[in-house]
Amino acid sequence: WELLGNHPEVAIFTGPLWLGDAPLAGRTLLVHHEQGLGDTLQMLRYVPLLAAQGARVIVQVPATLTALAATVTGVASVVAVGEPLPAHDLHCPCMSLPLACRTTLATIPAVVPYLAVPDAVGTTWRTRLDDTRSDERAGPRVGLTWSGSTTHRNDRQRSVAFGQLLPLLDMPAEFHSLQKEYRPGEREQLGAHARVHDWSASLDTLADTAGLIAQLDLVIAVDTAVAHLAGALGKPVWLLLPAAPDYRWLLERSDSPWYPTMRLFRQHSAGDWAPVIDALAGALHEQPGP
């Protein structure tokens, strides 16, 4: 591949763009990351369909995703962003796959899980959580993600302050933070709540996050990569959405055609998370234990 000037993130691909307009049988298709981590996690679901058409599918993803991407059925090989691209006949950006596959609401490939936790990672996290278990433990194990990247253009609408989640912490459950990074003051707030386990120092890649999620009964998350990861793993996930959500969550409905195990909790007024948190607390109170 070649790089353009002072923009090393821009690659010139050796094969033409594929948007469903050419047969794939016997050809190598490069499916590549281009936007957010959650976007790529969501679109990896298309790889089995492409392989079923006879393509040899190479997936290019950020390094944090390579181990997970390798578990998707139909992936022939995985290359990390920044590494030399292998030879390929065609290429397609991840977020163009719904267009290339002529996807409608009725044809979204929604079979989950389509990702798996690597065996060694799963064993490590099973042991870690067994070591945190108390004999008095009651209620489900719940993962929490309340904010995403501060550089995301919609972060002010989608993220929640940790303090707004405090009503949830009164519920009979065992809580685990799925945050890799914290905003100023949040680590101190978290430390004041002994019932929330902080795993940030152990979440080196998204495979580690997946290993932790696999040991949980439920994930509660705002619209970040963690929500997509939990959905792709087939875990129950409750998603907090702002009044004006990303287009893929549609409007009004409380379920998602992308993730059968996902339940949507929506704001009714922009910026007002209190009713959403109340609804979450009520639902969590009814959640059965493991």
Side-chain angles (χ1 to χ4, degrees), residues 17-287:
L17 175 67
W18 179 79
L19 290 177
D21 48 359
L24 293 178
R27 308 180 84 178
T28 297
L29 173 66
L30 173 69
V31 172
H32 53 93
H33 170 84
E34 47 149 354
Q35 297 187 35
L37 290 171
D39 302 318
T40 296
L41 283 164
Q42 183 179 23
M43 297 307 158
L44 285 173
R45 70 183 64 226
Y46 282 93
V47 172
L49 279 67
L50 304 173
Q53 295 180 46
R56 178 178 180 269
V57 183
I58 299 172
V59 175
Q60 183 216 43
V61 295
T64 190
L65 267 181
T66 54
L68 285 176
T71 70
V72 178
T73 299
V75 169
S77 64
V78 179
V79 58
V81 171
E83 294 179 350
L85 292 179
H88 55 278
D89 302 307
L90 304 162
H91 78 93
C92 185
C94 283
M95 287 298 283
S96 294
L97 288 172
L99 170 64
C101 295
R102 308 298 186 261
T103 304
T104 68
L105 280 179
T107 62
I108 290 174
V111 176
V112 298
Y114 55 87
L115 294 178
V117 177
D119 290 343
V121 175
T123 299
T124 296
W125 281 100
R126 192 176 305 113
T127 300
R128 283 173 174 163
L129 265 73
D130 283 348
D131 289 343
T132 68
R133 178 173 293 170
S134 167
D135 292 338
E136 294 79 26
R137 174 177 173 249
R141 277 179 168 159
V142 180
L144 298 175
T145 295
W146 56 89
S147 64
S149 171
T150 57
T151 61
H152 191 281
R153 63 184 181 182
N154 197 43
D155 184 67
R156 185 170 60 87
Q157 284 76 35
R158 68 168 183 167
S159 290
V160 179
F162 174 74
Q164 292 178 283
L165 298 182
L166 294 183
L168 297 181
L169 302 186
D170 292 330
M171 298 295 105
E174 179 182 296
F175 294 98
H176 298 265
S177 171
L178 297 170
Q179 296 281 148
K180 173 61 177 173
E181 298 177 352
Y182 295 108
R183 309 289 173 93
E186 286 188 339
R187 195 176 295 276
E188 291 74 20
Q189 286 182 298
L190 194 66
H193 294 276
R195 296 181 62 208
V196 184
H197 299 274
D198 177 14
W199 296 106
S200 57
S202 300
L203 300 178
D204 296 325
T205 70
L206 278 177
D208 289 310
T209 305
L212 173 52
I213 289 172
Q215 301 305 311
L216 304 177
D217 302 304
L218 170 68
V219 170
I220 296 175
V222 294
D223 187 4
T224 67
V226 170
H228 289 282
L229 178 56
L233 291 168
K235 277 288 179 180
V237 51
W238 294 354
L239 181 65
L240 287 71
L241 290 177
D246 182 273
Y247 71 92
R248 75 197 78 190
W249 307 122
L250 307 175
L251 296 173
E252 298 181 356
R253 62 193 293 169
S254 61
D255 66 331
S256 170
W258 293 99
Y259 299 109
T261 61
M262 182 174 282
R263 180 177 174 184
L264 309 181
F265 291 77
R266 298 176 180 271
Q267 279 184 351
H268 298 297
S269 300
D272 186 7
W273 287 111
V276 180
I277 302 301
D278 287 345
L280 282 169
L284 188 57
H285 183 73
E286 299 173 358
Q287 187 76 357

